[in-house]
């Protein structure tokens, strides 16, 4: 064999190991970390299948994944290369037809996850055995694409059109038992969860089916409804759900079109339709944005000066100081992760109130079927209420969540320094105060860090981890790892006013108010941003959060405002009228007893009157200007933050906005979106706004520089 061929054969043998057990060939895919169908894997599987077919001692074949999972899908990194070369390559369709045409029965053994191309591979096999804790799914829409290797054609043949349309359009994972009930899995390997146990169960199953003729999924049709009208109705209903749940996205609708094609067309024609739709989606901005978001969520865990090997403190127990809305939510987060947590208050009544809220949150979850009463009881039992610091000594991490007052926080941290063991992490949930100043009041500033949870803490995925000047690498590493354990996306940020998220949100909200003061209607501002994809319009968000919070902060920081620079005034006036938002059932809008929003024309009229008094010209404002004013305000501030080093990378800012501020995932985050628009265009618009609206719109130096150099935020690396 020539040297090159020999090397290739060796590589393939490493990607897919071949073994034999009682006449069953076992093919183990070994492509860490998640056995993705990366370069060479399909070829290696094909070669191993051929070897098994040629081996007269082999009666059937098992395909299994090495390590903790089956195949988690195609290699997502390859999509960027395809986009860059405008070439999707041959794809995996022919490979999977080859698997399906294997002359001997092929049993796919699934543990961990069979996602995307992984499930497509599994469905091209003749049988599927799975551990009970395995999950299957077609999550491609979460990457802005659709299954591209027959998933939309084989899944309806196994699970029916309705289930396939749902799985392919929403992308949610399905547990093995559910998949079994729907015909996707043929056998559950009860009691096994790891590769070795599953392998034994799959080999036994393969021996049972070895004598049966192969059963090709593509030739099955019993689950495809005979009547086209039924399928059309199912797909129409699926489209309604997808439009509602994944607003503004193309891929979910394309996925349903492809599933519908499976029901209408012969298999080969259906495959061709799937391919067309896959290619259309792959070359969309939606897909580049969602893939950016996928890798971003993983990238943020990588801190250049805090390598993986940095020692971390083990976290076995926690304490939360303050049982208000945030403190109670944070205690639930620890309990939900199985970590026992003390919940401290200084007054019995406040402690009782906090516990009652937690209890009612758990009761609601049980009522909604999210988990059982027993599970809720177990979580509740992990929360220990207390009125003193006496039992704080052994805890590994404390999160302070008391009222936003520096004096009070300093008091708490002084107490924590006194009672906590020397290596405990001391975290503050402050959203506005300086971590350095808080740390300065302790005897161990290296152990002090910010953990800025978002409300409701037990629901929102974002956690800003705020690094102070003295915070040690060990403390940073511990908190970043803890955030993953708590089910949060931890993003490391620097200690500036508002940190990253709120610092950027400030100019965004400011512009929303200015727009109303200049004549846009309250509803028009909210509608334009909602249609851009934001979870809620900025004025509705303000009503939800409480207008009085911003009012109080503005009053405290008035001395920092630059004279002569325009400030919004309408929200302060609303507060002076006692309109604090949803909590007083009146703010920008009015609210009924069920907190349903009702437009309030009186307020629009009032704001118009106040604005005229202040000499602010009233004019028609387009929804494009509304979006640009608000989103470019985010981008401009984001550029400053990046330049000043308070965020490590542009993708960190995007991840914050996608997970904590309702920024639409299919736009990739504000910085990514600006890169897509083109920084030159963004910069020119910012300059226009500066000419018209003054100093608030002074362009960030970094934005100007990158625009002039023809670069993107993604190119930027802080030297
Ligand atoms: C597809 O299949 C299209 C098909 O229709 C075929 C068309 C032709 N590729 O998440 P983790 C990396 S589309 C490349 O932290 P976990 C990830 O970046 C695909 N890399 O672990 C990370 O790298 P790093 C459909 C991947 O245990 C490392 O693996 N499939 C891929 O918390 C560990 O990941 C999906 O969408 C991949 N497919 O969760 C599944 N997957 O360490 C996407 C992961 O350098 N993946 N990586 O940061 C997942 O949902 C989760 O990774 C999984 C494991 C649940 C599997």
């Amino acid at each position: 064999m020539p040297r090159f061929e020999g090397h290739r054969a060796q590589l393939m043998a490493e990607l897919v190991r071949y073994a034999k057990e009682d006449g069953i060939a076992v093919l183990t895919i070994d492509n860490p970390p998640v056995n993705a169908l990366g370069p060479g894997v399909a070829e290696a599987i094909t070669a191993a299948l051929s070897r098994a077919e040629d081996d007269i001692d082999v009666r059937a074949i098992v395909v299994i994944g090495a390590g903790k999972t089956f195949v988690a899908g195609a290699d997502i990194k390859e999509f960027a290369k395809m986009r860059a070369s405008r070439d999707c390559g041959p794809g995996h369709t022919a490979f999977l037809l080859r698997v399906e045409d294997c002359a001997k029965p092929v049993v796919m053994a699934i543990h961990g996850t069979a996602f995307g191309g992984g499930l497509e591979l599994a469905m091209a096999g003749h049988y599927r055995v799975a551990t009970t804790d395995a999950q299957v799914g077609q999550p491609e829409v979460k990457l802005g694409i659709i299954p591209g290797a027959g998933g939309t054609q084989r899944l309806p043949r196994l699970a029916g059109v309705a289930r396939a349309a749902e799985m392919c359009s929403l992308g949610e994972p399905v547990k093995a038992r559910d998949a079994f009930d729907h015909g996707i899995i043929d056998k559950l390997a009860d009691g096994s969860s790891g590769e070795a146990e599953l392998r034994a169960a799959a080999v036994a199953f393969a021996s049972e089916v070895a004598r049966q003729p192969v059963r090709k999924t593509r030739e099955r049709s019993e689950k495809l409804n005979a009547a086209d009208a039924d399928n059309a109705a199912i797909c129409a209903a699926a489209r309604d759900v997808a439009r509602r749940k994944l607003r503004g996205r193309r891929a979910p609708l394309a996925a349903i079109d492809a599933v519908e094609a499976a029901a209408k067309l012969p298999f080969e024609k259906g495959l061709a339709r799937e391919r067309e739709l896959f290619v259309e989606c792959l070359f969309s901005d939606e897909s580049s944005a969602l893939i950016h978001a996928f890798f971003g969520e993983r990238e943020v865990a990588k801190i250049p000066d805090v390598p993986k090997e940095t020692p971390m403190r083990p976290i076995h127990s926690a304490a939360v100081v303050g049982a208000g809305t945030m403190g109670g939510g944070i205690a639930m987060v620890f309990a939900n992760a199985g970590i026992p947590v003390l919940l401290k208050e200084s007054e019995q009544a406040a402690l009782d109130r906090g516990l009652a809220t937690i209890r009612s949150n758990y009761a609601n979850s049980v009522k909604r079927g999210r988990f059982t009463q027993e599970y809720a009881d177990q979580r509740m039992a992990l929360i220990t209420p207390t009125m003193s610091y006496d039992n704080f000594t052994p805890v590994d991490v404390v999160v302070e969540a008391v009222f936003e007052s520096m004096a009070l926080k300093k008091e708490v941290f002084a107490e924590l320094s006194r009672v906590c063991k020397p290596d405990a992490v001391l975290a503050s949930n402050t959203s506005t105060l300086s971590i350095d100043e808080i740390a300065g009041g302790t005897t161990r500033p290296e152990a002090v860090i910010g953990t800025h949870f978002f409300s409701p803490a037990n629901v929102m995925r974002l956690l800003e981890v705020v690094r102070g000047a003295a915070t040690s690498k060990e403390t940073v590493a511990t908190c970043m790892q803890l955030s993953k354990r708590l089910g949060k996306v931890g993003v490391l940020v620097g200690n500036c006013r508002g940190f990253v998220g709120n610092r950027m949100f400030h100019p965004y909200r400011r512009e929303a108010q200015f727009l109303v003061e200049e004549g846009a209607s309250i509803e028009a501002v909210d509608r334009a941003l909602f249609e851009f994809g934001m979870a809620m319009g900025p004025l509705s968000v303000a009503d939800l959060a409480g207008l009085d919070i911003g009012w109080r902060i503005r009053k405290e920081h008035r001395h920092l405002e630059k004279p002569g620079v325009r400030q919004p005034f309408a929200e302060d006036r609303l507060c002076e009228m006692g309109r604090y938002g949803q909590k007083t059932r009146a703010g920008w809008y009015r609210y009924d007893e069920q907190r349903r929003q009702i437009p309030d024309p009186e307020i629009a009229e009032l704001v118009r009157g106040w604005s005229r008094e202040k000499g602010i010209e009233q004019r028609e404002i387009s929804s494009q200007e509304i979006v640009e004013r608000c989103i470019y305000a985010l981008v401009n501030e984001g550029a400053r933050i990046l330049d000043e080093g308070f965020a490590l990378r542009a993708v960190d800012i995007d991840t914050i906005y996608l997970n904590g501020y309702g920024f639409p995932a299919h736009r990739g985050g504000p910085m990514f979106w600006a890169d897509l628009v083109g920084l030159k265009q963004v910069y020119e618009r910012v300059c226009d706004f500066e000419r018209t609206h003054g100093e608030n719109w002074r362009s960030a130096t970094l934005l100007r520089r990158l625009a002039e150099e023809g670069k993107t935020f993604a190119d930027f690396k802080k030297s």
Side-chain angles (χ1 to χ4, degrees), residues 320 326-339 341 362 379 383 453-454 456-460 463 482-483 485-488:
V320 175
M326 285 313 287
I330 297 167
M332 287 177 77
V333 172
F334 279 107
N336 293 349
I339 301 172
V341 56
Y362 279 135
R379 289 174 177 197
I383 303 175
F453 287 83
F454 287 71
N458 53 318
V459 176
M460 298 295 287
L463 179 66
L482 178 64
S483 62
R485 207 169 139 205
L486 298 179
K488 303 289 171 202

Side-chain angles (χ1 to χ4, degrees), residues 33-34 68 72-76 116-117 120 139-140 147-148 294-295 298 302:
V34 292
K68 62 175 189 174
D75 184 340
I76 302 169
E120 290 174 306
E140 286 87 344
F294 175 84
F295 284 117
R298 285 144 185 92
K302 295 168 190 154

